[in-house]
Amino acid sequence: MASTENQDIQGVLIEEQVVPVPSSISIEAQAKLRAAVGDDGRPLNALHPSPGPDDHDAWRKMQAVADAHYAEQIKGLAGDVSANVETLKIGTATVHVATPRELRHEDCVYVDLHGGALVFGGGEACRLGAQIQADQHGMVCYAIDYRMPPDHPYPAALDDCISAYRRAIDIYGPNRVVIGGRSAGGNLAMATLLRARDEGLPMPAAAVLLSPEVDLTESGESFRTNRLLDVVLPTSLMNTNLLYAGGEDLAHPYLSPLFGKLSADFPPTFLQSGTRDLLLSNTVRLHRGLRQAGVSAELHIFEAMPHGGFGGTTPEDIDLKREIIDFVRRQLSPPAGRT
């Protein structure tokens, strides 16, 4: 018989344990997981707590440091990008427009929304990201350098995304537009689709959502089961979520698109996560919601992958990139006999 002190436990009690780096992933991915953990077994990223949502000065300082780190990191991944890039103002939005030297998809545009917990990742990192996406897909890329808190809380970022999306569908036509985003960018991509639908705008040809942060209430199971197991995003982002929301209800569909009303007219969607991703629940729940609404949705879950991948250079990361390129190509290529 269980002791009376445990009678109030409403879940599964798991004893403290060491979860080893699995041998089921590439040698390169194993090395990435090992390098992200200290000698005490704690993820190095867990050593940097975020400020409270009201400490705006601390957020600005963290933002400056993080943006420099993001830019340096993406510069290492960019390699020899060849796409030309210019920065435009589209309504309220700053947009980096990148054009590849070799156009494989003429008269098409990839609208890219950067990650960074809705607070980081703008500026130079966003600009480089535009060039990477343009080269990767062989098409023009609009990378939206959306406004962010603490100076510009919700709905500033979403307003910027809608402004740029309107321009994209006006110029290229909705069936030649793909919208995509990683993490926070996945949140904004889905929120843009919901708001566009609500405002009577047509849907794009496709959406690419990479570990989308679509539930700012953090209600999914993986926020508990993958806590600290995700070496990239080991702990809650709640302070960041509250900063972004600026006092609005975190469950509002434009803040947490997972709770939005989905319909069959949403575009074919590519969703990706990993078994160690803190946001795994976001991805699988959104996939089920899209499928139940009658939307064509692909779900790609990678073994032991933490939030955002293994760093961009492992066999798993390369495999994911190939899958995305193929998905976008298929959505922009009409079936035989159709134009």
Side-chain angles (χ1 to χ4, degrees), residues 28-184:
E28 295 88 343
Q30 292 178 44
K32 292 291 185 179
L33 290 183
R34 291 192 184 96
V37 177
D39 293 338
D40 60 355
R42 285 181 61 83
L44 299 177
N45 279 0
L47 305 177
H48 307 288
S50 61
D54 297 325
D55 192 348
H56 290 187
D57 286 340
W59 276 108
R60 291 186 187 97
K61 291 175 184 175
M62 179 178 278
Q63 204 169 44
V65 172
D67 282 352
H69 172 73
Y70 271 65
E72 197 61 34
Q73 190 176 49
I74 201 166
K75 194 180 295 180
L77 292 174
D80 297 322
V81 291
S82 61
N84 297 317
V85 61
E86 59 176 333
T87 300
L88 307 176
K89 210 59 177 165
I90 299 176
T92 57
T94 298
V95 180
H96 306 298
V97 180
T99 305
R101 290 182 181 175
E102 181 185 347
L103 277 170
R104 297 194 303 276
H105 297 290
E106 294 187 15
D107 301 321
C108 296
V109 63
Y110 191 99
V111 178
D112 183 52
L113 308 178
H114 69 79
L118 297 162
V119 180
F120 312 117
E124 182 61 19
C126 180
R127 185 178 171 89
L128 276 168
Q131 294 175 285
I132 291 172
Q133 294 292 342
D135 282 351
Q136 178 173 301
H137 293 290
M139 59 194 289
V140 172
C141 176
Y142 281 13
I144 306 175
D145 204 343
Y146 50 84
R147 293 168 295 165
M148 294 182 286
D151 296 321
H152 303 285
Y154 172 85
L158 185 54
D159 288 344
D160 290 350
C161 293
I162 284 290
S163 293
Y165 179 70
R166 283 181 182 274
R167 176 68 64 87
I169 61 175
D170 284 348
I171 293 176
Y172 292 91
N175 64 334
R176 310 303 285 167
V177 174
V178 176
I179 189 168
R182 181 186 298 274
S183 190

Side-chain angles (χ1 to χ4, degrees), residues 257-271:
L258 181 64
F259 306 129
K261 183 179 180 181
L262 303 175
S263 51
D265 59 341
F266 272 66
T269 303
F270 181 105
L271 300 108

